[in-house]
Amino acid sequence: MSDYRLGIDVGGTKLEIAALDSKGEILLRHRVANPGTYDALLLTLRDLVEEGRARTSRDATVGVGIPGAIDSRTMRVKNANATWLNGQTFGKDLEQVLGCPVKVENDANCFALSEAVDGAAAGRKIVFGVILGSGVGGGFIINGEPVTGLHHIAGEWGHIPLPWVRAEEFPMPKCFCGNDGCLERFLCGPALAASWKGDGQRCADGIEEAAAAGDAAAIHALDTYVDRLGRACALVINMVDPDAIVLGGGVSNLKTLYSRVPDVMKKYAITPECRTELLKNQHGDSSGVRGAAWLWGK
């Protein structure tokens, strides 16, 4: 196998490629706009791969992270927020365009893989990677391999209900998936912003500073968020018992999470002690492309 790995992150508005050597050093990192149509996407990815191979090797492997999943039965994309990807045989089509094998995985799984291979959770056996951004996602890595499951939905943490729910948290908010009370509606960045500044707000930048200055609404919003995130992490601990939970996405930049959430985890985890580490990601917004590259192994 080649000593070089090409990783591609397919986002809703942008595409990014990174070329890694066998030590994980980034040799190339380049972003372009997502063209927004399927055929144009395939051609743009072809050009990015050509660029990556020109900087590395003709036999560099190709891994791709997408905002959805590949149905294990039909091999078609499902659950993608870039809805024009849904129903497409993306992996097969990209292999035909490139003339080489391609590995495709959910972007949250790629994030988790990156942090488990050579990031914040390197060396841990069981890792749960969480994305707390405009939405909420998650992925499990066990012994360096993504866990996908029968339906390729393992780790879809954002679409399980908020656990240990309290009376004052009713009525449960409606989720776009059609269910009520999904974690995404409580833990995404816009939910934190709305809790602080009111309905319709989507940006929580500056909330820690506001809380430190005595803003009562900011203090309440952070307290509530810490408690809910701690409950949600404890649910994962009780189910899978990971060595580490790594946070990514914009909300992961809040320093208070790492000092306060573990205490809530300990309250709800069904063990006399809770040693699961809560970690901030190491690779930031490059974790997606790094994880896509590592789909072929290090």
Side-chain angles (χ1 to χ4, degrees), residues 35-87:
T37 65
Y38 188 65
D39 289 341
L41 171 66
L42 294 175
L43 294 178
T44 303
L45 293 178
R46 179 197 64 189
D47 293 343
L48 288 175
V49 170
E50 283 299 312
E51 178 185 6
R53 285 179 166 164
R55 295 280 293 273
T56 55
S57 169
R58 295 305 305 172
D59 63 353
T61 58
V62 180
V64 183
I66 63 170
I70 302 294
D71 189 290
S72 56
R73 182 176 56 86
T74 66
M75 303 308 295
R76 295 181 182 273
V77 178
K78 64 180 180 180
N79 302 336
N81 57 15
T83 55
W84 45 270
L85 271 175
N86 289 323

Side-chain angles (χ1 to χ4, degrees), residues 230-253:
R231 282 186 266 162
C233 289
L235 177 64
V236 174
I237 294 168
N238 289 348
M239 290 288 290
V240 184
D241 200 12
D243 298 273
I245 298 173
V246 185
L247 304 184
V251 181
S252 72
N253 293 318

Side-chain angles (χ1 to χ4, degrees), residues 184-292:
E184 177 159 314
R185 305 320 309 143
F186 293 99
L187 298 181
C188 67
L192 177 60
S195 177
W196 174 26
K197 293 183 177 180
D199 291 345
Q201 298 296 315
R202 297 187 59 82
C203 180
D205 289 353
I207 189 171
E208 284 186 303
E209 293 79 5
D215 183 326
I219 293 171
H220 178 72
L222 276 178
D223 288 347
T224 301
Y225 191 91
V226 163
D227 180 69
R228 289 170 173 170
L229 179 58
R231 282 186 266 162
C233 289
L235 177 64
V236 174
I237 294 168
N238 289 348
M239 290 288 290
V240 184
D241 200 12
D243 298 273
I245 298 173
V246 185
L247 304 184
V251 181
S252 72
N253 293 318
L254 296 176
K255 296 179 181 178
T256 192
L257 300 182
Y258 306 97
S259 60
R260 297 177 60 194
V261 170
D263 288 335
V264 183
M265 290 161 46
K266 292 173 184 177
K267 179 179 178 181
Y268 290 94
I270 188 70
T271 177
E273 59 177 354
C274 179
R275 292 180 286 113
T276 298
E277 299 173 277
L278 186 70
L279 305 172
K280 187 178 188 300
N281 65 84
Q282 180 175 315
H283 294 303
D285 63 359
S286 66
S287 262
V289 290
R290 292 181 66 90

